[in-house]
Amino acid sequence: MSSELEYLSHRVAAGRLTRRDFLGRAAALGVAATVANSMLANAVMAAEPVKGGTLKAGLQGGESTNVLDPALNLSQVNFSFGKCWGELLVELKPDGGLEQRIAESIESAPDAKTWTMKIRKGIEFHNGKTVTAADVVATLERHGDKKSKSAALGILQGIDTMKVNGDEVVITLKDANADFPYLMADYHLVIQPNGGKDDPNAGISAGPYKVTANEPGVRYGGEKFKNYWQGDKLGHADQVEIVVINDATARTAALQSGQVQMINRVEPKIVDLVKRIPGVTIRNVAGKGFYPFNMFCDTAPFDSNDLRMALKLAMDRDEMLEKILRGYGSVGNDFPINEAYPLFTALEQRKFDPEKAAEYYKKSGHSGSILLRTSDVAFPGAVDAAALYQQSCAKAGIKIEIKREPGDGYWSQVWNKQPFSLSYWGGRATQDQMYSTAYISSADWNDTRWKRPEFDKMVIAARGELDQEKRKKMYADMGMMMRDEGGLIVPFFNQYIDATGKNVEGWVNNPSQEMCNGYALSLCWVAA
Amino acid sequence: MGASLVKLVGKRIGLSIILLFAVSVLIFVGTQILPGDVAQSILGQAATPEAVANLRAQLGLNDPAYVRYFRWLFGLLTGDLGNALSSGLPIGPAIAERLSNTLFLAFWAAAVSVPLAILLGLIAVRHRNGFVDKLISASTLAAVSLPEFFIGYLLIYFVAVKLGWFTSVSTVFDGMPFLKRMSAIALPATTLTLVVLAQMMRMTRAAILNVMQSAYVETAELKGLSRSEIIWRHAFPNAVAPIINVVMLNLAYLVVGVVVIEVIFVYPGMGQYLVDHVAKRDVPVVQDCGLIFAAVYIGLNMLADIFSILSNPRLRHPK
């Protein structure tokens, strides 16, 4: 049988080619319609998930210091493994909308201050206990406790009171927040029995896999949870395993030799080589993550908007995207939002303009060199990015002095401490969350020292606005303000670049995070 | 003779223990001057100031340094290695598992490389300046000149990816069948063997050749003994001391210096464990690992000295 036809039939099954086109191509290749039809039927059948077997991923981003407690999940491996065993209230769909998981529905009173979450009946924890509203409240209590080390502490600060009402959880907020349901999709908020207050490291939740192996920084194993509440949709393999492979070359070799079926973090500079490996598919998806050059708006010389504008105009975004990310990304526009967010409005794209930059630079009255701090750990290619920027600034007559900082201690000594440095942001579920986390005056992580009361007011107003059209307009205004006055230079948004091995099917790109938003091991199967 | 020998060995052991204490002080001081802060490093970029303050208090980082040093030392002497700051888990069991993995890999690398190196050295001497000698020298020197990660990548590419004989991911875990475990460590053990082979082989060759210059070897030659017999019976036993020294140094390297190999082959040994915890400023773990490494180093050096004393009667009677 023709391999081309086989390929085409798979494309039909995957929904990338219409049935009509397929039959046309088959006829052109001299295949009778009946044969073509039966091929198609086979291919569609093959697209049904294959149950059983072991699915193995080799992932970067695990350390021997990691623990299972979802409150402390930071690294990529814990994130992906957390999605194997943990179940959340809601989850982000590939289109940016919300999928109801443990919460069957989330309804708000008209003021967007009182929220009622109905807890789905009949969901079971791995220890056999049924998930109740009390477990949900206990989970939120644990993460929202002032003494908690949870990374979700910040987003739960807005909660005023919580109470259990039968199978409902009723939450009142201090201020109106139309995005409240999105906050519940935070990956730290894994629902655990009694909120994990007894033993947060037990690894017990209601996800598709039960934890069978937990060797921090080495390997993690999961066994299919027979009573998973939507076992037809997630958890096709009997066993899943994650091997921590922090070395990029070793990771690629493991995929190539078939020891793992999927890997994360393929480096942009080797993507084209990996593509040539037979059977390997690159899975790249544009996300919300971006790599900023942060200026402190309250520190000289960056307190002059003219200077900030000069530095923004002196950034050659196209060259940067091409050379640093090899095109695996999209250019930024000096505000932290892109089309991966639901309520995004495109603004006029800022272009590299050395002459205008020189004008603004002159107007700012600053002279002498400007110190830019960078490090390998800021983002992959951050040191090269600083050097490229230095060159494009030179064309505008701006002298940049680069200081390469050690990776050790970069996040504690340089980022958010020094006035001009490189960093990364992983994006957030909604625009409100992104702005609230890093750009309102009171934000702990206000890494551009952007302190504008009028901007804060806009954020709070948009947060309480339930009319989506009005809200969209408000976000466009905020984006414009940040683009023209903020302390942020965004050369580009990055892509998540994962790769899968032979015959791995079921992959669904999701812009929220890498590895199908962490669900790759649960969503995929290996076709025969 | 017995008493003076025991006295010598005892003195050597006593010195080692004193040295180990000195090292423990150095390690403790060293970890105090690392830049950055444990709490901040554990929480990473996502740390809020309240979270950092909470964690600092909880970890007891506010006590003075000397209090923490003696608390640590006392714990060590009573077999309590403490808890890791970053994960809150006890360090003892974690290190025990990692150390046994490291020793397992080191043992098999040594089991192959030490006899092989000595044998190759003997063969090289037997065929001194001939083709065989040059071949052995050239190939082992080539192997040692390549960086270890490069040898590792070459083996991964050819043996694991192209030929598919062994796995490139050498993750071992509890309850793994012995043969599977051996197959998993095949490539890292081979890499290590290639890395340490040359130095031991060269030292064996040089030490024996040195002895071959002496008068009693000439006597043996005049007696009409065969070259192999001279090397094996007369030269080798007298060249043992320097060979033991270099073997011990390489054994120490196999335990404490293989972090690159562990990263490439995803082998769960001590090196990776230490590096992860240094990055997180997890001071108790760094201190414990550092002291274990120091103990291995000092211990093997002590053994080398003791074996040298035993193998060379002249050293037993210092003038």
Side-chain angles (χ1 to χ4, degrees):
Chain A
M1 244 191 246
S2 148
S3 61
E4 183 177 355
L5 267 186
E6 207 171 310
Y7 168 73
L8 290 172
S9 64
H10 281 123
R11 292 195 51 96
V12 178
R16 295 201 193 105
L17 189 72
T18 67
R19 187 183 183 84
R20 234 185 147 70
D21 286 342
F22 173 76
L23 291 176
R25 297 292 291 277
L29 289 163
V31 176
T34 44
V35 177
N37 261 325
S38 76
M39 271 190 78
L40 202 53
N42 282 339
V44 172
M45 259 171 49
E48 286 282 302
V50 175
K51 298 279 178 182
T54 299
L55 210 51
K56 240 173 133 173
L59 303 182
Q60 191 214 34
E63 293 141 352
S64 34
T65 50
N66 294 149
V67 286
L68 274 188
D69 181 358
L72 304 174
N73 273 1
L74 286 173
S75 65
Q76 297 92 298
V77 169
N78 270 133
F79 165 75
S80 277
F81 191 56
K83 299 261 170 142
C84 289
W85 65 266
E87 190 69 314
L88 304 173
L89 286 162
V90 288
E91 190 48 273
L92 293 170
K93 284 198 288 198
D95 64 4
L98 279 182
E99 182 187 323
Q100 311 297 331
R101 291 282 179 93
I102 287 179
E104 198 172 10
S105 65
I106 303 187
E107 306 285 341
S108 132
D111 62 354
K113 263 178 125 167
T114 307
W115 290 84
T116 307
M117 298 195 279
K118 189 155 186 248
I119 304 307
R120 201 180 291 273
K121 284 203 177 71
I123 296 187
E124 199 181 305
F125 282 123
H126 298 152
N127 61 4
K129 198 182 155 297
T130 307
V131 179
T132 64
D135 294 317
V136 173
V137 169
T139 302
L140 296 180
E141 269 172 9
R142 182 169 83 87
H143 289 266
D145 182 32
K146 284 260 182 289
K147 289 202 190 84
S148 158
K149 286 178 274 167
S150 174
L153 176 63
I155 62 170
L156 296 177
Q157 295 289 293
I159 294 180
D160 191 24
T161 62
M162 282 188 282
K163 65 171 192 279
V164 177
N165 183 10
D167 58 357
E168 288 178 347
V169 175
V170 182
I171 289 174
T172 51
L173 305 177
K174 290 172 191 154
D175 299 300
N177 188 349
D179 280 343
F180 177 75
Y182 282 92
L183 300 183
M184 296 298 108
D186 186 288
Y187 68 92
H188 301 96
L189 298 177
V190 167
I191 304 301
Q192 291 173 286
N194 193 24
K197 284 177 181 172
D198 312 321
D199 182 4
N201 285 314
I204 291 180
S205 179
Y209 290 95
K210 285 198 277 192
V211 176
T212 53
N214 167 34
E215 293 168 37
V218 183
R219 62 186 275 277
Y220 299 86
E223 175 190 78
K224 190 169 174 163
F225 176 41
K226 295 278 186 298
N227 297 337
Y228 182 56
W229 67 281
Q230 48 174 1
D232 52 330
K233 277 173 70 185
L234 287 175
H236 304 303
D238 285 342
Q239 314 273 343
V240 291
E241 193 178 330
I242 295 175
V243 187
V244 181
I245 312 181
N246 288 324
D247 182 69
T249 312
R251 207 156 60 241
T252 318
L255 181 71
Q256 194 175 358
S257 60
Q259 288 176 57
V260 299
Q261 278 103 12
M262 48 184 74
I263 59 172
N264 67 346
R265 304 275 161 126
V266 179
E267 294 177 337
K269 61 186 176 199
I270 63 158
V271 170
D272 292 334
L273 294 173
V274 176
K275 267 186 187 158
R276 282 194 234 147
I277 304 172
V280 167
T281 313
I282 291 288
R283 313 276 187 173
N284 55 317
V285 54
K288 295 168 175 169
F290 60 97
Y291 297 147
F293 287 52
N294 290 325
M295 304 177 276
F296 279 4
C297 299
D298 64 353
T299 308
F302 309 102
D303 51 355
S304 147
N305 195 37
D306 289 327
L307 183 83
R308 294 205 294 270
M309 190 55 98
L311 288 172
K312 288 175 186 175
L313 287 164
M315 168 72 73
D316 189 342
R317 293 171 177 75
D318 296 316
E319 185 192 27
M320 203 66 117
L321 177 63
E322 190 47 46
K323 293 200 171 140
I324 305 295
L325 295 188
R326 312 272 157 154
Y328 288 94
S330 55
V331 291
N333 203 8
D334 300 341
F335 67 110
I337 306 299
N338 68 351
E339 67 282 350
Y341 287 86
L343 298 174
F344 169 76
T345 311
L347 305 177
E348 189 205 341
Q349 175 63 46
R350 176 162 290 140
K351 291 262 179 351
F352 176 49
D353 192 338
E355 279 147 43
K356 237 166 133 191
E359 274 173 38
Y360 274 105
Y361 185 61
K362 218 174 139 199
K363 211 169 126 199
S364 79
H366 179 78
S367 62
S369 66
I370 292 169
L371 185 64
L372 172 64
R373 289 166 206 265
T374 183
S375 170
D376 286 324
V377 298
F379 59 83
V383 176
D384 299 334
L388 261 185
Y389 183 56
Q390 188 183 37
Q391 286 174 18
S392 70
C393 279
K395 287 180 193 156
I398 304 171
K399 195 162 173 276
I400 299 285
E401 187 190 328
I402 297 175
K403 183 156 188 226
R404 187 175 175 167
E405 301 276 0
D408 253 17
Y410 188 77
W411 299 115
S412 53
Q413 315 274 317
V414 179
W415 172 76
N416 210 1
K417 295 266 193 311
Q418 297 293 342
F420 194 24
S421 66
L422 272 65
S423 171
Y424 79 83
W425 273 103
R428 289 296 184 270
T430 62
Q431 298 199 36
D432 173 62
Q433 225 184 319
M434 190 68 237
Y435 285 126
S436 308
T437 310
Y439 303 101
I440 56 172
S441 305
S442 58
D444 289 325
W445 301 329
N446 190 340
D447 60 5
T448 54
R449 301 290 187 268
W450 167 251
K451 290 172 185 164
R452 296 282 290 268
E454 61 270 42
F455 185 82
D456 300 348
K457 275 191 203 123
M458 288 161 92
V459 173
I460 289 161
R463 190 185 289 162
E465 180 59 62
L466 289 170
D467 180 333
Q468 297 297 305
E469 274 315 304
K470 271 194 203 157
R471 218 169 162 213
K472 204 171 162 183
K473 174 78 183 53
M474 291 164 128
Y475 281 127
D477 291 344
M478 281 153 65
M480 188 62 95
M481 186 172 174
M482 179 136 285
R483 174 183 178 276
D484 293 338
E485 295 166 40
L488 194 63
I489 308 176
V490 185
F492 37 54
F493 285 82
N494 59 327
Q495 290 187 357
Y496 303 112
I497 312 176
D498 305 318
T500 55
K502 278 197 188 78
N503 299 327
V504 173
E505 290 180 17
W507 188 278
V508 182
N509 276 338
N510 189 320
S512 306
Q513 274 296 343
E514 61 177 23
M515 300 300 285
C516 313
N517 194 22
Y519 286 106
L521 284 165
S522 307
L523 279 168
C524 291
W525 64 89
V526 179
Chain B
M1 171 201 127
S4 75
L5 190 64
V6 169
K7 206 174 142 199
L8 260 176
V9 171
K11 218 166 121 189
R12 192 63 195 74
I13 293 175
L15 263 176
S16 297
I17 292 173
I18 293 170
L19 192 58
L20 204 52
F21 270 105
V23 168
S24 81
V25 174
L26 276 181
I27 289 173
F28 188 82
V29 171
T31 50
Q32 299 307 306
I33 54 181
L34 275 175
D37 172 84
V38 199
Q40 178 78 45
S41 302
I42 292 172
L43 296 171
Q45 189 204 7
T48 59
E50 306 93 79
V52 173
N54 290 343
L55 197 56
R56 280 191 66 83
Q58 192 187 327
L59 297 177
L61 292 178
N62 301 325
D63 290 332
Y66 70 90
V67 172
R68 280 179 285 139
Y69 171 74
F70 284 109
R71 200 189 291 149
W72 171 58
L73 200 63
F74 182 73
L76 276 178
L77 293 176
T78 52
D80 172 19
L81 275 67
N83 288 355
L85 297 180
S86 52
S87 61
L89 302 174
I91 302 172
I95 285 194
E97 186 168 351
R98 296 284 185 147
L99 189 61
S100 73
N101 286 344
T102 291
L103 292 179
F104 184 74
L105 178 60
F107 172 79
W108 287 106
V112 175
S113 59
V114 172
L116 190 63
I118 291 174
L119 187 70
L120 287 176
L122 291 173
I123 293 174
V125 173
R126 170 72 184 77
H127 300 277
R128 177 150 63 110
N129 295 335
F131 172 72
V132 176
D133 181 23
K134 284 184 178 144
L135 183 72
I136 292 173
S137 291
S139 50
T140 51
L141 280 178
V144 81
S145 335
L146 294 174
E148 48 199 350
F149 70 85
F150 190 69
I151 299 179
Y153 285 154
L154 285 181
L155 285 175
I156 287 181
Y157 185 72
F158 288 106
V159 184
V161 174
K162 287 283 151 191
L163 298 170
W165 289 352
F166 293 107
T167 59
S168 65
V169 175
S170 305
T171 323
V172 295
F173 46 89
D174 255 358
M176 199 177 190
F178 180 73
L179 279 179
K180 243 185 133 184
R181 199 176 257 258
M182 290 303 284
S183 147
I185 66 155
L187 293 188
T190 309
T191 312
L192 287 175
T193 302
L194 289 173
V195 171
V196 298
L197 198 58
Q199 205 190 355
M200 290 191 286
M201 188 291 276
R202 301 284 298 174
M203 186 52 108
T204 309
R205 182 178 177 277
I208 296 176
L209 282 182
N210 194 25
V211 176
M212 295 290 274
Q213 317 284 334
S214 40
Y216 67 87
V217 169
E218 209 172 320
T219 313
E221 266 168 18
L222 291 173
K223 275 197 321 196
L225 292 181
S226 78
R227 199 170 161 78
S228 303
E229 213 169 345
I230 295 172
I231 294 172
W232 185 242
R233 299 264 311 269
H234 295 273
F236 183 63
N238 287 293
V240 156
I243 296 175
I244 287 178
N245 265 322
V246 74
V247 165
M248 289 301 174
L249 275 178
N250 278 292
L251 288 185
Y253 165 80
L254 286 179
V255 177
V256 308
V258 299
V259 64
V260 174
I261 305 282
E262 288 177 9
V263 170
I264 292 172
F265 289 101
V266 198
Y267 189 79
M270 287 286 284
Q272 189 59 55
Y273 185 72
L274 174 62
V275 168
D276 283 351
H277 287 84
V278 169
K280 283 274 187 287
R281 301 282 176 274
D282 197 328
V283 174
V285 179
V286 176
Q287 289 168 344
D288 291 345
C289 288
L291 203 61
I292 288 174
F293 283 164
V296 168
Y297 222 91
I298 293 172
L300 286 173
N301 272 299
M302 181 184 80
L303 282 180
D305 284 356
I306 292 175
F307 282 132
S308 300
I309 295 170
L310 293 178
S311 75
N312 189 343
R314 271 177 297 178
L315 292 179
R316 286 179 219 153
H317 305 286
K319 300 260 150 64

Short mmCIF file of all heavy atoms in Angstrom, two decimals, chain A residues 411-441:
data_model
loop_
_atom_site.label_atom_id
_atom_site.label_comp_id
_atom_site.label_asym_id
_atom_site.label_seq_id
_atom_site.Cartn_x
_atom_site.Cartn_y
_atom_site.Cartn_z
N TRP A 411 18.73 35.19 40.64
CA TRP A 411 17.35 35.57 40.98
C TRP A 411 17.28 36.28 42.32
O TRP A 411 16.31 36.97 42.60
CB TRP A 411 16.43 34.35 40.95
CG TRP A 411 16.39 33.74 39.60
CD1 TRP A 411 16.83 32.51 39.24
CD2 TRP A 411 15.93 34.35 38.38
NE1 TRP A 411 16.68 32.31 37.89
CE2 TRP A 411 16.13 33.43 37.35
CE3 TRP A 411 15.40 35.59 38.07
CZ2 TRP A 411 15.80 33.68 36.02
CZ3 TRP A 411 15.05 35.86 36.75
CH2 TRP A 411 15.26 34.92 35.74
N SER A 412 18.27 36.09 43.18
CA SER A 412 18.20 36.77 44.47
C SER A 412 19.02 38.05 44.50
O SER A 412 18.72 38.96 45.26
CB SER A 412 18.65 35.82 45.58
OG SER A 412 19.91 35.29 45.28
N GLN A 413 20.07 38.14 43.66
CA GLN A 413 20.96 39.30 43.75
C GLN A 413 20.77 40.30 42.62
O GLN A 413 21.10 41.47 42.78
CB GLN A 413 22.43 38.85 43.71
CG GLN A 413 22.74 37.68 44.58
CD GLN A 413 23.05 38.09 46.00
OE1 GLN A 413 23.76 39.05 46.23
NE2 GLN A 413 22.49 37.38 46.96
N VAL A 414 20.32 39.85 41.47
CA VAL A 414 20.30 40.74 40.31
C VAL A 414 18.86 41.06 39.88
O VAL A 414 18.44 42.22 39.87
CB VAL A 414 21.07 40.11 39.12
CG1 VAL A 414 21.02 41.04 37.91
CG2 VAL A 414 22.50 39.83 39.52
N TRP A 415 18.10 40.03 39.55
CA TRP A 415 16.74 40.26 39.10
C TRP A 415 15.94 40.96 40.20
O TRP A 415 16.03 40.58 41.37
CB TRP A 415 16.08 38.92 38.73
CG TRP A 415 14.63 39.08 38.45
CD1 TRP A 415 14.06 39.59 37.31
CD2 TRP A 415 13.54 38.74 39.32
NE1 TRP A 415 12.71 39.60 37.44
CE2 TRP A 415 12.36 39.09 38.65
CE3 TRP A 415 13.46 38.19 40.59
CZ2 TRP A 415 11.09 38.89 39.20
CZ3 TRP A 415 12.21 37.99 41.15
CH2 TRP A 415 11.04 38.34 40.47
N ASN A 416 15.18 41.95 39.81
CA ASN A 416 14.34 42.69 40.75
C ASN A 416 15.17 43.45 41.80
O ASN A 416 14.63 43.92 42.79
CB ASN A 416 13.35 41.75 41.44
CG ASN A 416 12.06 42.48 41.81
OD1 ASN A 416 11.92 43.67 41.53
ND2 ASN A 416 11.13 41.79 42.44
N LYS A 417 16.49 43.54 41.59
CA LYS A 417 17.34 44.30 42.51
C LYS A 417 18.13 45.36 41.74
O LYS A 417 18.41 46.41 42.25
CB LYS A 417 18.35 43.38 43.22
CG LYS A 417 17.74 42.35 44.14
CD LYS A 417 17.68 42.89 45.56
CE LYS A 417 17.38 41.81 46.59
NZ LYS A 417 16.26 40.95 46.29
N GLN A 418 18.55 45.01 40.52
CA GLN A 418 19.37 45.92 39.72
C GLN A 418 18.49 46.61 38.68
O GLN A 418 17.53 46.04 38.20
CB GLN A 418 20.48 45.13 39.03
CG GLN A 418 21.46 44.47 40.00
CD GLN A 418 22.28 45.48 40.77
OE1 GLN A 418 22.37 46.66 40.37
NE2 GLN A 418 22.86 45.07 41.89
N PRO A 419 18.84 47.87 38.32
CA PRO A 419 17.92 48.67 37.52
C PRO A 419 17.75 48.24 36.05
O PRO A 419 16.76 48.61 35.44
CB PRO A 419 18.52 50.08 37.59
CG PRO A 419 19.93 49.90 38.01
CD PRO A 419 19.98 48.66 38.83
N PHE A 420 18.68 47.49 35.49
CA PHE A 420 18.51 47.12 34.07
C PHE A 420 19.04 45.71 33.89
O PHE A 420 20.25 45.47 33.96
CB PHE A 420 19.29 48.11 33.19
CG PHE A 420 18.93 48.06 31.72
CD1 PHE A 420 17.70 47.60 31.29
CD2 PHE A 420 19.84 48.51 30.76
CE1 PHE A 420 17.37 47.58 29.93
CE2 PHE A 420 19.53 48.49 29.41
CZ PHE A 420 18.28 48.04 29.00
N SER A 421 18.13 44.74 33.75
CA SER A 421 18.57 43.36 33.66
C SER A 421 17.62 42.52 32.81
O SER A 421 16.50 42.94 32.53
CB SER A 421 18.67 42.74 35.06
OG SER A 421 17.38 42.65 35.62
N LEU A 422 18.08 41.35 32.44
CA LEU A 422 17.27 40.43 31.63
C LEU A 422 16.57 39.43 32.54
O LEU A 422 17.08 39.08 33.59
CB LEU A 422 18.14 39.68 30.62
CG LEU A 422 18.34 40.38 29.28
CD1 LEU A 422 19.11 41.66 29.48
CD2 LEU A 422 19.06 39.47 28.31
N SER A 423 15.42 38.95 32.09
CA SER A 423 14.65 38.05 32.93
C SER A 423 13.72 37.21 32.06
O SER A 423 13.77 37.30 30.83
CB SER A 423 13.84 38.86 33.95
OG SER A 423 12.94 38.05 34.64
N TYR A 424 12.89 36.40 32.67
CA TYR A 424 11.82 35.75 31.91
C TYR A 424 10.54 35.75 32.73
O TYR A 424 10.57 35.81 33.95
CB TYR A 424 12.19 34.33 31.49
CG TYR A 424 12.06 33.27 32.57
CD1 TYR A 424 10.82 32.68 32.85
CD2 TYR A 424 13.16 32.87 33.30
CE1 TYR A 424 10.71 31.73 33.85
CE2 TYR A 424 13.04 31.92 34.30
CZ TYR A 424 11.81 31.36 34.57
OH TYR A 424 11.69 30.42 35.55
N TRP A 425 9.43 35.68 32.02
CA TRP A 425 8.14 35.51 32.68
C TRP A 425 7.41 34.38 31.96
O TRP A 425 7.44 34.29 30.74
CB TRP A 425 7.31 36.79 32.61
CG TRP A 425 7.59 37.73 33.72
CD1 TRP A 425 8.34 38.88 33.66
CD2 TRP A 425 7.12 37.62 35.08
NE1 TRP A 425 8.37 39.48 34.90
CE2 TRP A 425 7.63 38.72 35.78
CE3 TRP A 425 6.33 36.68 35.76
CZ2 TRP A 425 7.37 38.93 37.14
CZ3 TRP A 425 6.08 36.89 37.10
CH2 TRP A 425 6.60 38.01 37.78
N GLY A 426 6.76 33.52 32.72
CA GLY A 426 6.06 32.39 32.10
C GLY A 426 4.65 32.70 31.68
O GLY A 426 3.97 31.84 31.13
N GLY A 427 4.17 33.92 31.89
CA GLY A 427 2.79 34.20 31.53
C GLY A 427 1.84 33.72 32.61
O GLY A 427 2.22 32.93 33.49
N ARG A 428 0.64 34.20 32.58
CA ARG A 428 -0.37 33.83 33.56
C ARG A 428 -1.67 33.49 32.84
O ARG A 428 -1.79 33.69 31.64
CB ARG A 428 -0.60 35.00 34.53
CG ARG A 428 0.56 35.23 35.50
CD ARG A 428 0.77 34.04 36.42
NE ARG A 428 1.81 34.26 37.43
CZ ARG A 428 3.09 33.96 37.27
NH1 ARG A 428 3.52 33.48 36.12
NH2 ARG A 428 3.96 34.16 38.24
N ALA A 429 -2.65 32.97 33.58
CA ALA A 429 -3.88 32.53 32.94
C ALA A 429 -4.61 33.69 32.26
O ALA A 429 -5.16 33.55 31.17
CB ALA A 429 -4.79 31.86 33.96
N THR A 430 -4.64 34.84 32.92
CA THR A 430 -5.38 35.97 32.35
C THR A 430 -4.53 37.23 32.41
O THR A 430 -3.53 37.28 33.11
CB THR A 430 -6.66 36.25 33.17
OG1 THR A 430 -6.26 36.60 34.49
CG2 THR A 430 -7.56 35.03 33.21
N GLN A 431 -4.98 38.23 31.66
CA GLN A 431 -4.26 39.50 31.65
C GLN A 431 -4.24 40.10 33.04
O GLN A 431 -3.24 40.65 33.49
CB GLN A 431 -4.94 40.48 30.68
CG GLN A 431 -4.92 40.01 29.26
CD GLN A 431 -5.17 41.15 28.29
OE1 GLN A 431 -4.73 42.27 28.51
NE2 GLN A 431 -5.85 40.86 27.20
N ASP A 432 -5.39 40.00 33.73
CA ASP A 432 -5.46 40.57 35.08
C ASP A 432 -4.38 39.98 35.96
O ASP A 432 -3.69 40.68 36.68
CB ASP A 432 -6.84 40.31 35.69
CG ASP A 432 -6.85 40.74 37.15
OD1 ASP A 432 -6.64 41.93 37.40
OD2 ASP A 432 -7.02 39.87 38.02
N GLN A 433 -4.24 38.64 35.86
CA GLN A 433 -3.27 37.97 36.72
C GLN A 433 -1.85 38.44 36.40
O GLN A 433 -1.03 38.64 37.28
CB GLN A 433 -3.39 36.47 36.52
CG GLN A 433 -3.38 35.70 37.82
CD GLN A 433 -3.42 34.22 37.55
OE1 GLN A 433 -4.13 33.76 36.66
NE2 GLN A 433 -2.65 33.47 38.30
N MET A 434 -1.56 38.59 35.10
CA MET A 434 -0.23 39.04 34.71
C MET A 434 0.04 40.44 35.25
O MET A 434 1.07 40.70 35.87
CB MET A 434 -0.13 39.03 33.18
CG MET A 434 1.27 39.24 32.66
SD MET A 434 2.36 37.85 33.04
CE MET A 434 3.66 38.68 33.93
N TYR A 435 -0.90 41.35 35.03
CA TYR A 435 -0.70 42.73 35.50
C TYR A 435 -0.66 42.79 37.02
O TYR A 435 0.14 43.51 37.60
CB TYR A 435 -1.81 43.64 34.96
CG TYR A 435 -1.66 43.99 33.49
CD1 TYR A 435 -2.69 43.76 32.59
CD2 TYR A 435 -0.48 44.57 33.02
CE1 TYR A 435 -2.56 44.08 31.24
CE2 TYR A 435 -0.34 44.89 31.67
CZ TYR A 435 -1.38 44.64 30.79
OH TYR A 435 -1.22 44.96 29.47
N SER A 436 -1.54 42.02 37.68
CA SER A 436 -1.58 42.07 39.15
C SER A 436 -0.32 41.50 39.76
O SER A 436 0.10 41.90 40.84
CB SER A 436 -2.77 41.27 39.69
OG SER A 436 -3.94 41.67 39.06
N THR A 437 0.28 40.52 39.08
CA THR A 437 1.45 39.88 39.63
C THR A 437 2.68 40.78 39.56
O THR A 437 3.52 40.76 40.45
CB THR A 437 1.75 38.58 38.86
OG1 THR A 437 0.56 37.82 38.77
CG2 THR A 437 2.80 37.76 39.56
N ALA A 438 2.79 41.55 38.48
CA ALA A 438 4.07 42.23 38.28
C ALA A 438 4.00 43.71 37.93
O ALA A 438 5.03 44.35 37.83
CB ALA A 438 4.86 41.50 37.19
N TYR A 439 2.83 44.27 37.70
CA TYR A 439 2.84 45.65 37.21
C TYR A 439 1.97 46.63 37.98
O TYR A 439 1.90 47.79 37.62
CB TYR A 439 2.50 45.66 35.72
CG TYR A 439 3.47 44.80 34.94
CD1 TYR A 439 3.12 43.52 34.52
CD2 TYR A 439 4.77 45.25 34.70
CE1 TYR A 439 4.04 42.71 33.88
CE2 TYR A 439 5.68 44.45 34.05
CZ TYR A 439 5.31 43.18 33.64
OH TYR A 439 6.23 42.39 33.02
N ILE A 440 1.27 46.17 39.05
CA ILE A 440 0.58 47.16 39.86
C ILE A 440 1.57 47.64 40.94
O ILE A 440 2.52 46.93 41.28
CB ILE A 440 -0.72 46.63 40.49
CG1 ILE A 440 -0.46 45.38 41.32
CG2 ILE A 440 -1.76 46.34 39.42
CD1 ILE A 440 -1.66 44.93 42.10
N SER A 441 1.34 48.83 41.45
CA SER A 441 2.32 49.47 42.34
C SER A 441 2.71 48.58 43.51
O SER A 441 3.86 48.52 43.92
CB SER A 441 1.75 50.77 42.90
OG SER A 441 1.35 51.60 41.85
#
